[in-house]
Amino acid sequence: MTRQPLNLLDHLHQTILQFLNPFTASLSQARQAHAQILKTGLSSDTNLTTKLLSLYANNLCFDDANFVLDSISEPNLFSYSTLIHAFAKLNQFGHALALFSQMLSRGLVPDSFLFPSVVKACAGLPTSKAGKQVHAIASVSGLASDSFVQSSLVHMYIKCDQIRDARKLFDRVPHRNVIICSALISGYSRRGCVDEAMQLLSEMRDMCLEPNVVLWNGMIAGFNQSKLYADTVAVLQKMHSEGFRPDGSSISSALPAVGHLEDLGLGIQIHGYVVKQGLGSDKCVVSALIDMYGKRACSFEMSQVFHEMDQMDVGACNALVTGLSRNGLVDNALEVFRQFKDRGMELNIVSWTSIIASCSQNGKDMEALELFREMQVEGVEPNSVTIPCLLPACGNIAALMHGKAAHCFSLRRGISNDVYVGSSLIDMYAKCGKIRLSRLCFDEMPTRNLVCWNAVMAGYAMHGKANETMDVFRLMQRSGQKPDFISFTCVLSACSQKGLADEGWYYFNSMSKEHGLEARVEHYACMVTLLSRSGKLEEAYSMIKQMPFEPDACVWGALLSSCRVHSNVTLGKFVAKKLFNLEPKNPGNYILLSNIYASKGMWSEVDRVRDKMKSLGLRKNPGCSWIEVKNKVHMLLAGDKAHPQMNQIIEKLNELSSEMKKSGYFPNTHFVLQDVEEQDKEQILCGHSEKLAVVLGLLNTPPGSSLRVIKNLRICGDCHAVIKFISSFEGREISVRDTNLFHHFKDGVCSCEDYW
DNA sequence: ATAGGGTTAG
């Protein structure tokens, strides 16, 4: 390389320095400067190379940074520190730690300034393993007594869920300052340890340490995160009463809690404070206000805050979408989402996840799947929140392929161990009829919480697998996980489906005796089902009379269903009357009653019920089934004429029905409401959506492959018989999920053993 | 050059 004349080199040096100004330099300028440095042989100028390193690091150009580092003949502590500080600040923990270990292997000794950044990188990892090692290195270097190092270590232990290690370290620190106390208090708050947090706060007084705003805010945010809403608000008020002025941070972490409490007055008061303190231009505060009003069902105030914003903000838009959806206005949520998108607003992962959640929570499952696709087309990557928002939509309409795709995505992205992702996978597979895959997901989870246990039990219950449900229940207890009222709902409903009266009573009684849980209305509903299904209608009724609270529609509904199964007109009439009072607008109850009459041939009573429905403006909810064929979900309505393959379906159905008649089957026309000619009744039965869906599946899948159908109402007895026949005649495994149970048909037999 | 805090999605 030729040496340049000195004056020119000086000039170049100046130019390069300008290019490397950390405040103004762009990435392309950094690259130009890098090229110049290489050309002019200035690589040994540590001033230049360090600036270059820092620029590359701040632009997340790891390869370039490493290249520069390698080109330095003898990188020193300063070169490494520059990079490690930058990466730690930008949450690039892996890179920061890789550089740290490289640095150590070169024999360089870290100083007390470097440790906090390294520890911060360790805090971003899921376990404290690396953090403990760094702690040990700091100790042997004699730097563990530095207050910066200590507080970063406390923070690391807390982030890695090792609060006892954090406390152990804290107790050994002789001179505590506000920062280290604040780190520990925030840790306690985040874990819901209210007493410990409060205790430490008062101990600070003894140490003559005054809490500051950051400390208060850490507590507020922590309690809010622990869902201790009352405590969250209490801290905000305590802070205020002790003369500290809550800032935007305090307000935005307290408002979510205010929304959860039923104290709209406090919310309005805080809104007033925001206006008075001029916090109204703080984006987080505005989003939090919208969220609070949304949670408290104040659609008007919510929109008002939104429209009074002086600058558009994605966070506020997202809060508005969720707020609308919370108040039953999904269509409006979809509309505003579209508007934001069309106006070129930069939608983020929260925006997409919010709208997907709105859809899957409000019966717009197909829309949720479509939005998930659209989101990926737009280049937005799903995360560990998006997946649990999407999966219920897959489960609702048994879109197994979509669910599996989401599962694969989770495995690839390493988020499948997340308890939310895991429990939503368990639920999705169960609802798609894949109970073994559901169990597999459960078995493979490294950590489980109550929701996971409940999800797998609910799955087994839904599949009528009472023994498995009880097995898991026992396993849960042995693992030390305490059951909650949902766990008992799962076990009891499993027992009720199989008519296991002894087991049902055992679990029902053990709730209060052994677990200190009072039976809720849903547990009584399970017991009513259990008793009444097996024909003990009177016993079920007396159970209702003995309930310690007013029976609700679920309880009476359970009894009415059994009256239908056992064709009990007298009790059915009585129960239906109760239900008409409790939920006058639910057509299902009228249908059940008229079915009871119809099963006894009491056609004039059937007409009376139907006339009453008509006069109330009620219509039978249309039967609707879903089936996934070749990755596409088809929706079929009862008597559907719109489906393009309908002629083929009818043809196939007729073919099947003549085959059935040959083998001695007669359509069970009791399941038809109307008093019509037998011939017509048969036609009406033919139109039931579950049959249409099964036949659509037969026509479009290879022989022998299995079919999965989801129905929005209970499966009718005739369809049950027909699908049993189809399963053996066509040699298919068919599963049909109705509102409360899975029916697995195989070789002419159903898993429910005709008890449902 | 180094340490503690915020909104909107489950």
Side-chain angles (χ1 to χ4, degrees), chain A residues 214-403:
Chain A
V214 175
L215 186 145
W216 288 115
N217 290 355
M219 266 180 116
I220 296 174
F223 286 158
N224 176 52
Q225 205 178 303
S226 311
K227 304 192 179 182
L228 298 166
Y229 303 126
D231 295 295
T232 309
V233 170
V235 173
L236 180 73
Q237 284 166 334
K238 186 174 161 71
M239 163 189 189
H240 188 55
S241 70
E242 292 188 14
F244 293 90
R245 183 174 298 161
D247 66 3
S249 215
S250 332
I251 298 298
S252 44
S253 12
L255 274 172
V258 176
H260 280 286
L261 300 172
E262 287 178 13
D263 193 349
L264 180 58
L266 180 62
I268 292 170
Q269 209 182 319
I270 292 177
H271 190 177
Y273 177 85
V274 166
V275 174
K276 220 165 72 190
Q277 297 289 327
L279 296 170
S281 49
D282 185 318
K283 286 176 179 173
C284 291
V285 170
V286 172
S287 307
L289 273 173
I290 294 172
D291 171 69
M292 182 274 293
Y293 280 126
K295 281 180 187 149
R296 298 266 39 91
C298 302
S299 296
F300 175 76
E301 287 80 357
M302 179 175 77
S303 305
Q304 200 174 30
V305 173
F306 182 80
H307 291 295
E308 280 170 1
M309 287 190 308
D310 35 39
Q311 244 189 349
M312 260 304 196
D313 171 56
V314 217
C317 297
N318 299 344
L320 182 67
V321 165
T322 302
L324 290 168
S325 152
R326 268 203 182 103
N327 290 286
L329 303 165
V330 212
D331 292 317
N332 301 46
L334 274 163
E335 198 185 312
V336 301
F337 179 84
R338 287 279 160 230
Q339 278 174 10
F340 295 147
K341 185 163 183 272
D342 294 343
R343 285 190 204 149
M345 160 140 285
E346 278 278 334
L347 300 176
N348 59 24
I349 180 64
V350 180
S351 322
W352 288 98
T353 306
S354 305
I355 193 68
I356 289 170
S358 304
C359 288
S360 60
Q361 288 161 3
N362 289 284
K364 293 193 176 285
D365 306 299
M366 308 270 250
E367 287 86 344
L369 295 180
E370 176 52 33
L371 282 160
F372 184 68
R373 196 193 61 82
E374 193 182 334
M375 155 184 170
Q376 284 164 299
V377 169
E378 297 281 326
V380 179
E381 279 273 293
N383 65 13
S384 63
V385 182
T386 319
I387 302 299
C389 289
L390 174 76
L391 285 173
C394 300
N396 288 343
I397 56 175
L400 179 63
M401 290 310 159
H402 290 84

Side-chain angles (χ1 to χ4, degrees), chain A residues 383-549:
Chain A
N383 65 13
S384 63
V385 182
T386 319
I387 302 299
C389 289
L390 174 76
L391 285 173
C394 300
N396 288 343
I397 56 175
L400 179 63
M401 290 310 159
H402 290 84
K404 276 190 173 168
H407 188 184
C408 290
F409 177 86
S410 313
L411 289 168
R412 265 186 280 122
R413 289 295 303 266
I415 55 171
S416 57
N417 290 339
D418 181 286
V419 284
Y420 281 104
V421 173
S423 42
S424 59
L425 282 169
I426 294 169
D427 176 67
M428 179 276 293
Y429 278 123
K431 285 191 179 140
C432 288
K434 299 292 179 187
I435 190 66
R436 286 163 75 179
L437 288 177
S438 170
R439 178 61 190 260
L440 202 64
C441 285
F442 175 79
D443 287 339
E444 293 195 338
M445 292 188 74
T447 51
R448 306 177 181 119
N449 63 11
L450 182 57
V451 180
C452 306
W453 288 99
N454 286 348
V456 76
M457 285 194 286
Y460 277 134
M462 197 192 302
H463 284 259
K465 293 186 178 291
N467 288 326
E468 287 83 347
T469 313
M470 291 187 284
D471 285 344
V472 174
F473 189 89
R474 285 185 284 261
L475 212 61
M476 170 171 80
Q477 286 183 288
R478 251 179 282 145
S479 83
Q481 175 67 61
K482 284 198 175 105
D484 71 346
F485 69 98
I486 296 176
S487 322
F488 279 98
T489 311
C490 297
V491 184
L492 290 176
S493 81
C495 291
S496 78
Q497 268 151 25
K498 284 285 175 248
L500 301 175
D502 292 346
E503 290 85 345
W505 278 116
Y506 165 75
Y507 283 110
F508 184 80
N509 292 326
S510 78
M511 275 180 78
S512 62
K513 271 192 217 148
E514 292 170 36
H515 301 277
L517 295 167
E518 283 313 310
R520 298 193 185 186
V521 70
E522 53 266 44
H523 305 115
Y524 279 92
C526 287
M527 292 310 286
V528 167
T529 304
L530 176 52
L531 295 168
S532 60
R533 287 272 179 78
S534 55
K536 296 172 182 161
L537 293 168
E538 287 302 326
E539 216 176 302
Y541 177 49
S542 56
M543 179 138 199
I544 294 180
K545 282 191 290 196
Q546 284 161 25
M547 276 173 54
F549 32 71

